[in-house]
Amino acid sequence: MPHRRDAARLRAVHDLLDIPYSAIPRTSSGLPALDSADAGQQRFQAALFTCLMSSSVERHVWEHPMKPALASVSSYVNWIIPYPDRVDLHTNTACRVASRLMPLQYGEDRISGIPGLRLIGYGKQRLRLLHLPTGGHLDLVDTHACSTRRGMGQDLRFETRWHHKPAQRPLWQLAEVTPEEQAHHLHWATEPCTALRSSLLIRAIWMYWELNPSWRPAVPAGGYEQLLYTKAIAPQEVADLLTVSEVRIPGVTYESRGTDDGVLRAGGTGITLTRVRG
């Protein structure tokens, strides 16, 4: 019966993505709604996904110059909940995650964190951030909430104390996007694979647990962006989750190129899925 199938799909979303059953976003008919972000939100989520896939081997261009700040974020995230106008990252350490995502400038033009990301408010459980160039919103929700808003502010000041050092500029305190930040605009520009990367963000927790993934941008001469991983799971199994399971991405297909390689296709573009053997 339809309602049983719908309930089974909701349970699968809970099991695979670890989103609490009651918190799963749903359509008016009660079905899971994982891919309903508006265009600006998609652009931001697509950029955020590449940040969460930073690793010590495939370092994001926005990675901290001295430590794996972006590469550490996924280890703090418990689940990701999408909404049409924002995405919520639930974590036990919201202020620490914020300190790694919010932008800092080093010297004349080096930036770590996400250029254009701004802290716009907080309460005792939630930090609210806005990506000025895209209008995308990110809420960092702390499952170990502070007892007061003042307590959250104290935690934030503690976790961002390393932002206030000589030769560093905390850009997240500014009201406008700086020219140095705007120079990174291609990272959040609309591209054929923007919607696909945005959808991959919503499934990033499963990838982090199961794959040990990293992201490699397309080379300037052309070709696809790459999602690489090292765990002993066949690319076809990964593709099955993304294309035919209950948490599938609508309209995405998979073209195998061998036992360790294939392409996730969406419309006229694609992302290469590659297993890297030891």
Side-chain angles (χ1 to χ4, degrees):
M1 298 177 66
H3 67 280
R4 290 184 179 178
R5 290 196 298 270
D6 295 348
R9 187 173 184 189
L10 289 166
R11 285 194 297 272
V13 170
H14 164 70
D15 292 341
L16 292 170
L17 305 184
D18 206 40
I19 301 175
Y21 191 89
S22 61
I24 297 172
R26 309 182 191 195
T27 66
S28 57
S29 60
L31 292 174
L34 301 178
D35 303 284
S36 59
D38 65 32
Q41 186 67 28
Q42 280 189 352
R43 289 166 57 205
F44 170 64
Q45 291 179 184
L48 178 60
F49 173 71
T50 66
C51 293
L52 265 60
M53 295 297 107
S54 179
S55 71
S56 58
V57 176
E58 300 290 340
R59 291 174 60 87
H60 198 287
V61 66
W62 298 336
E63 184 58 278
H64 189 278
M66 307 296 286
K67 61 183 180 179
L70 290 181
S72 71
V73 169
S74 289
S75 65
Y76 293 114
V77 179
N78 298 325
W79 59 81
I80 299 172
I81 303 180
Y83 299 94
D85 61 347
R86 75 174 195 274
V87 62
D88 285 5
L89 268 60
H90 287 248
T91 171
N92 297 333
T93 54
C95 294
R96 184 168 300 171
V97 171
S99 75
R100 287 154 168 74
L101 292 179
M102 296 189 301
L104 296 172
Q105 181 175 330
Y106 303 82
E108 293 185 1
D109 57 4
R110 175 67 187 268
I111 292 177
S112 72
I114 302 177
L117 191 64
R118 300 292 186 264
L119 178 70
I120 58 173
Y122 62 88
K124 63 182 182 180
Q125 184 180 21
R126 186 179 297 260
L127 298 174
R128 299 180 60 240
L129 298 108
L130 168 65
H131 187 239
L132 292 177
T134 62
H137 285 81
L138 167 66
D139 280 14
L140 299 175
V141 185
D142 203 313
T143 52
H144 293 166
C146 294
S147 58
T148 64
R149 181 179 182 277
R150 181 181 179 183
M152 180 66 91
Q154 291 174 336
D155 284 355
L156 182 64
R157 286 190 292 274
F158 177 79
E159 291 292 350
T160 58
R161 66 195 186 283
W162 58 274
H163 288 202
H164 303 280
K165 292 182 177 181
Q168 292 184 183
R169 183 187 184 195
L171 301 176
W172 54 272
Q173 297 177 330
L174 305 179
E176 298 179 350
V177 178
T178 68
E180 293 81 8
E181 291 176 294
Q182 188 59 37
H184 294 262
H185 66 95
L186 291 179
H187 289 269
W188 55 77
T190 301
E191 297 180 345
C193 64
T194 293
L196 178 53
R197 272 194 277 131
S198 174
S199 291
L200 288 174
L201 171 73
I202 308 308
R203 295 145 180 92
I205 291 300
W206 180 88
M207 295 179 191
Y208 185 74
W209 289 337
E210 302 294 335
L211 302 180
N212 189 26
S214 59
W215 187 261
R216 182 181 295 171
V219 297
Y224 293 140
E225 300 170 0
Q226 286 185 282
L227 180 64
L228 305 106
Y229 68 94
T230 59
K231 292 293 184 69
I233 177 173
Q236 185 64 60
E237 294 182 53
V238 180
D240 286 346
L241 179 124
L242 297 173
T243 62
V244 299
S245 77
E246 297 295 359
V247 296
R248 60 189 176 272
I249 302 173
V252 174
T253 60
Y254 180 67
E255 175 188 319
S256 177
R257 292 183 173 178
T259 57
D260 293 328
D261 195 68
V263 179
L264 293 168
R265 294 197 178 278
T269 190
I271 291 173
T272 302
L273 182 64
T274 303
R275 175 172 55 179
V276 180
R277 295 181 184 261

